[in-house]
Amino acid sequence: MTIDFHYLRHPMEKKKEIVMSGIRPTGFLHLGNYFGAIRNYVKMQEEFECYFMVADLHSLTTHPDTKELKANVHRVLAENIACGLDPDKVALYCQSHVHETAELYLYLNMLAYKGELEKTTTFKDKVRLNPQNVNAGLLTYPVLMTADIILHRASYVPVGKDQEQHLEMARTFANRFNHRYGEVFPEPQAFNFNQELIKVPSLDGAGKMSKSENQMATLYLADEDEMIRKKVMKAKTDSGPTEPDSPKPDYIENIFLLMKLVSSADVMQKFEADYNNCSIRYGDMKKQLAEDMVQFIAPIRNNVDAILNDEKGLKQIMEQGAEKANKSAHTTMKLVREAIGLKYY
Ligand code: TRP
């Protein structure tokens, strides 16, 4: 079933608030992405009018080589859908399929000052890492992100900590537009469903799961069963507590945390009790965790593969998403052109 966001709603029904977020097409999501971000999106789709976009244009600022772009875009779409994002409930689309993004980006560029863009932390980091490719798109990255958000006049933007400065800039540019040309845009706010985002600890006891750090300490949704078992069995443990009810060292706490995400309450209770009376056997605990992890990840992985193998289905999903996003974009851009004064007859 397709929900027609703007036109089929009963006039007495309260308009749903609008959520928008962008997903980098870097592919290969891990457990941290799942519990930290995607699960939030999946909950939001029930209550909000959601626009979730694959940020393929943004990736051109840092990845001019596009050989892998198609595969990456397909994978990130498939992974998000396999995790529960429903293309019938949300607008799931690619940034480059909504051309009015580029038009709004152009107008917003006239409202963004070089000085403030140069001060952006992510810009400075990228300049430092890659001094031979300091292109204008990199400088105006937050302007493009603003265009993505306010193109749908979104009020809420679920993002991680690393995007907070960009979101702050989006508020600045939206307000500047409103002051200069008239109220068109709401002020976009950061938003998360559960107050606190779940941080999924890595398997080596150091920090959280991450794409860039120790690969063996991060569980990917694409990992094969044997790989999952191998990674879990390598998790750091020790010879166990010697005093009843002793506090847990971080790396042990992490194993319990991971278990809490994927194992049943009974299993949790058993190992908590074993820990507290010093009879815990970490080998058994990790075996249990590994099997529960396999039970959790394998269906998602298989689902991703099935979605990826159905190229026609993927095309349809992208078209359906682009249609919804373009409809919303057209409505906003009419208001934008009029507000600016680009209307001569
Ligand atoms: N910049 C975001 C990131 O790197 C991705 C993104 C692009 C985005 N456009 C957006 C996020 C709009 C939220 C809203 O993760």
Side-chain angles (χ1 to χ4, degrees), residues 20-24 53 55 58 95 141 144-145 148-149 157-159 162-163 166:
M20 193 278 149
S21 197
I23 310 163
R24 262 174 289 189
M53 175 201 86
H58 272 113
Q95 193 175 27
Y141 185 109
L144 181 54
M145 182 161 153
D148 296 332
I149 298 166
V157 186
V159 283
D162 64 321
Q163 297 297 312
H166 291 159

Side-chain angles (χ1 to χ4, degrees), residues 29-31 33-35 37-43 45 75-86 221-222 296-297 299-301 303-304 307:
L29 301 180
H30 52 69
L31 221 58
N33 300 128
Y34 177 84
F35 287 104
I38 306 178
R39 219 173 46 157
N40 252 309
Y41 298 167
V42 173
K43 278 195 220 147
Q45 72 186 352
R75 173 157 290 276
V76 86
L77 285 169
E79 287 186 327
N80 277 278
I81 296 165
C83 289
L85 261 203
D86 183 346
L221 300 178
F296 181 81
I297 291 177
I300 298 179
R301 183 189 65 224
N303 206 347
V304 171
I307 297 167

